[in-house]
């Protein structure tokens, strides 16, 4: 009788309320993990951990290993799909009882320490932390100077813990190998992970970019009405993105066609990037008219050069005044608005964001269908943030701190059984087939209610 | 502008460089890999249809690898940590 009662409570808690990681966020993280596996190759090793153990009625607040570090094999993709699906099924930290969380630095240190004995590849080991929350990981680079840590936000909007809106990326020595994605600026989750893996296989760069300053230089027929976002970037790390927005007023008749005969060497060099010159030549051949409306000017410094040495880049914006015989270009507006709304709502407190997004969605005729879908997803996440902040205020104010260092969660026997069954299978002896594995996991999932 | 600036600079050193030096200059593997600031501009509309026309744009600056070259060993260890808190 008592057991059923606990079961019902747990179901209700899981279905309705998750802590700061929303259901959508967790699912996106799972998708991201599985997608990234396709970028891995023979000789790579991988592991899967979660920050919490959600297999029991009371959430365990220490990291749990789901897949021990091991080589990529023929069945790894399907095993990971099952493991991540199981993680999603078990949901996130329960509200009741409210338990203190260790700092994310301690969580990452715990995971790194548990891997220390496994001869990690020097200079080529990457921890990908899929978390929507603010956790500056000071000190991890000092203890594990060889490890790369990627903080990647999988949620449609990140969750800034109280107090909201401080700048939460550290560029000091203590965080020199910590990289942050989809946090201050929108970045596509699968795109970002693919790039992390590809960059991991390349020689690491020398020098750091600092003091980036951007500006828009409008040309004939173009007027800059408004700007949103900062024009300055203090540090630009590999893979880091910064977005800046502007509203332009364009007067077709006053715009000037792109000058392909220009003698300006800087402009000419900008046309030689990404085959732009060829595009423009083709456009002319098809009777199209392309106009040069503005240039984005960018100044920066690089630590490999002297402090008074500045780098200058110009990027032109060219739009079509007359399509001629060209195929219509790919629509970029969805990509644009994904970035714009991400920027807008991450720069507002949850309270204000809720009001703003409500106002935006109240005028559906002003936005297209694709953008509306994204806004609805964001609105759902913002509502989730509101609930979480209320819960924090009501139930988590007096929680004790959870100081590190912490040890990982003890492995469940049934999880070890899965790892062992796989080992047996790999050795070619009679072992579990995939169906049996799934059944085994489902079975023990139910047992643990 | 470049012409005006160049007029004030001393003439380039080593005017008599031999061709073998030129070749090594173009050898990719000796160039260091660095980070560069790549700029991408996204626009709401790509074809002008009205006069005047208000257009939203996004400027995306990303740190990308310049002179990418493969590391001596290209296999990696990847540890996924999913936050389920």
């Amino acid at each position: 009788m008592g057991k059923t009662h606990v079961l019902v409570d747990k179901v209700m808690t899981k279905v309705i309320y998750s802590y700061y990681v929303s259901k959508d966020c967790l699912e996106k993280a799972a998708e991201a993990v599985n997608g990234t596996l396709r970028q891995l190759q023979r000789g790579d090793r991988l592991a899967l951990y979660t920050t919490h153990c959600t297999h029991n009625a009371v959430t365990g607040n220490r990291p749990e290993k789901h897949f021990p570090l091991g080589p990529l094999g023929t069945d790894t993709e399907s095993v990971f799909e099952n493991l991540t699906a199981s993680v999603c099924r078990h949901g996130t930290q329960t509200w009741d009882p409210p338990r203190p969380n260790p700092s994310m630095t301690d969580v990452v240190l715990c995971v790194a320490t548990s891997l220390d004995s496994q001869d990690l590849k020097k200079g080529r080991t990457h921890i990908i932390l899929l978390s929507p929350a603010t956790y500056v990981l000071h000190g991890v680079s000092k203890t594990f100077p060889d490890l790369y840590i990627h903080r990647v936000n999988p949620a449609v909007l990140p969750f800034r813990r109280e107090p909201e809106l401080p700048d939460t990326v550290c560029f000091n020595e203590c965080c020199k190998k910590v990289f942050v994605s989809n946090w201050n600026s929108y970045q596509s989750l699968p795109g970002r992970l693919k790039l992390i893996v590809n960059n991991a296989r390349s020689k690491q760069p020398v020098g750091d970019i600092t003091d980036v300053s951007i500006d828009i230089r409008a040309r004939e027929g173009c007027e800059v009405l408004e700007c949103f976002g900062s024009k300055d970037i203090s540090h630009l790390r590999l893979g880091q993105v910064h977005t800046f927005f502007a509203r332009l007023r364009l007067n077709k008749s006053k715009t000037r066609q792109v000058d392909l005969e220009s003698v300006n060497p800087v402009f000419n060099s900008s046309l030689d990037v990404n085959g732009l010159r060829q595009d423009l030549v083709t456009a002319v051949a098809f009777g199209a008219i392309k106009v040069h409306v503005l240039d984005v000017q960018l100044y920066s410094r690089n630590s490999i050069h002297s402090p008074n040495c500045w780098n200058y880049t110009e990027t032109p914006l060219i739009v079509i005044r007359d399509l001629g015989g060209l195929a219509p270009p790919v629509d970029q507006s969805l990509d644009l608005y994904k970035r714009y709304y991400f920027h807008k709502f991450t720069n507002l407190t949850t309270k204000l964001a809720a009001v703003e997004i409500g106002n935006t969605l109240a005028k559906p005729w002003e936005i297209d269908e694709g953008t509306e879908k994204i806004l609805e997803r964001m609105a759902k996440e913002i509502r989730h943030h509101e609930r979480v902040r209320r819960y924090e205020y009501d139930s988590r104010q007096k929680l004790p701190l959870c100081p590190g260092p912490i040890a990982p969660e003890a492995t469940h026997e049934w999880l070890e059984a899965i790892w062992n069954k796989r080992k047996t299978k790999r050795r070619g002896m009679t072992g579990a087939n995939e169906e049996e594995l799934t059944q085994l996991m489902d079975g023990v999932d139910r047992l643990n209610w | 502008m470049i012409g005006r600036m160049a007029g004030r600079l001393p003439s380039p050193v080593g005017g008599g460089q031999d061709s073998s030096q030129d070749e090594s200059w173009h050898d990719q593997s000796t160039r260091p890999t660095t980070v560069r600031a790549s700029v991408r501009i996204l626009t709401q509309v790509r074809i002008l249809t009205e006069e005047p026309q208000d257009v939203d744009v996004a400027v995306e600056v990303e740190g990308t690898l310049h002179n990418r070259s493969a590391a001596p060993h290209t296999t990696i260890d990847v540890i996924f940590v999913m936050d389920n808190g």
Side-chain angles (χ1 to χ4, degrees), chain A residues 44-45 49 52 124 126 128 130-131 201 203 206 239 242 244 246-250 320 330 337 339, chain B residues 33 43 46 48 51 53-57 59-61 63 69 74-77 79-84:
Chain A
D44 291 340
R45 291 191 299 177
Y49 286 76
H52 295 73
R124 292 171 286 135
H126 298 257
I128 298 178
L130 291 154
S131 171
R201 303 195 201 280
K203 275 199 191 138
V206 288
H242 176 96
F244 167 79
R247 170 154 281 189
L248 312 172
R249 177 155 290 158
L250 298 173
I320 299 170
V330 172
Y337 290 117
R339 286 158 175 80
Chain B
T33 303
T43 50
R46 302 186 72 181
L48 298 180
E51 172 106 29
Q53 192 161 7
D54 284 356
V55 175
D56 291 332
V57 302
V59 174
E60 189 179 74
V61 181
S69 97
T74 54
T75 54
I76 56 178
D77 284 342
I79 296 109
F80 296 99
V81 180
M82 289 173 70
D83 188 350
N84 60 346

Side-chain angles (χ1 to χ4, degrees), chain A residues 197-421:
Chain A
V197 169
N198 285 345
N199 287 344
R201 303 195 201 280
S202 306
K203 275 199 191 138
Q204 294 307 294
V206 288
D208 304 295
I209 296 180
T210 58
D211 304 292
V212 182
S213 173
I214 42 180
D215 211 352
I216 293 182
R217 184 178 62 193
R219 298 173 64 83
E220 295 102 327
C222 175
E223 193 194 332
V224 179
L225 297 176
E226 279 186 280
C227 289
F228 310 97
S230 173
K231 288 185 179 173
D232 297 296
I233 315 166
S234 63
H235 295 75
L236 188 70
R237 295 269 207 77
L238 178 62
Q240 185 186 330
V241 159
H242 176 96
T243 37
F244 167 79
F245 304 89
R247 170 154 281 189
L248 312 172
R249 177 155 290 158
L250 298 173
N251 282 286
K252 233 173 118 160
S253 55
K254 298 205 181 87
T255 56
R256 297 269 210 101
Q257 199 164 353
V258 181
D259 182 6
L260 291 169
E261 308 300 319
S262 172
V263 294
N264 182 324
V266 179
F267 175 64
N268 279 328
S269 70
S270 73
L271 292 187
D272 293 328
V273 172
N274 293 330
L276 180 56
R277 188 184 294 279
Q278 194 50 52
D279 281 348
L280 296 171
V281 168
T282 309
V284 171
F286 276 80
I289 298 178
K290 290 201 174 183
V291 292
H292 181 186
V293 298
L294 61 82
D295 292 298
V296 172
Q297 302 179 294
L298 187 146
Y299 286 93
S300 65
R301 288 199 286 182
N302 195 314
S303 58
I304 58 173
H305 295 127
S306 59
N308 62 339
C309 175
W310 292 80
N311 202 293
Y312 175 72
T313 329
E314 249 178 35
T315 309
L317 172 61
I318 292 161
V319 294
I320 299 170
R321 194 167 78 196
D322 189 332
L323 191 56
L326 284 179
V330 172
D331 182 20
Q332 294 175 335
S333 56
L334 190 60
D335 279 336
L336 170 78
Y337 290 117
K338 263 187 203 170
R339 286 158 175 80
Y340 173 71
Y341 286 115
F342 183 97
H343 178 263
K344 180 172 184 173
F345 296 118
T346 52
N347 281 289
L348 293 172
T349 59
T350 303
K351 262 205 180 96
L352 287 175
V355 172
E356 271 301 310
I357 204 166
N359 291 341
T360 311
L361 284 168
K363 294 178 265 183
W365 54 87
E366 284 187 4
I367 38 183
D368 67 67
E369 207 183 311
T371 310
E372 197 178 354
K373 282 206 174 81
I374 294 169
L375 286 169
E376 277 164 5
R377 237 184 104 205
M378 287 183 174
K380 196 170 170 194
E381 193 78 13
I382 291 170
R383 279 196 297 275
H384 177 80
H385 290 176
E386 282 186 296
R387 274 197 301 270
V388 171
R389 293 201 196 283
R390 258 199 311 275
Y391 161 65
E392 282 186 327
Y393 185 77
D394 293 339
S395 314
R396 297 185 67 93
Q397 296 279 7
K398 297 199 179 75
L399 284 180
L401 291 175
C402 192
I406 55 173
E409 194 74 41
T411 307
H412 297 295
E413 278 174 22
W414 55 266
L415 201 46
E416 278 208 43
I418 293 170
W419 301 339
N420 292 333
K421 268 212 142 94

Side-chain angles (χ1 to χ4, degrees), chain A residues 16-58:
Chain A
I16 300 172
Y17 306 123
S18 53
Y19 190 21
Y20 60 82
V21 176
S22 68
K23 185 165 180 287
D24 182 69
C25 174
L26 194 59
E27 284 170 5
K28 282 283 173 276
E31 254 179 56
V33 169
N34 294 318
T36 312
L37 253 69
R38 279 164 232 137
Q39 306 301 324
L40 299 180
Q41 63 194 36
R42 220 170 88 95
D44 291 340
R45 291 191 299 177
L46 54 162
L48 178 67
Y49 286 76
T50 52
T51 55
H52 295 73
C53 167
T54 48
H55 294 116
N56 301 316
V58 176

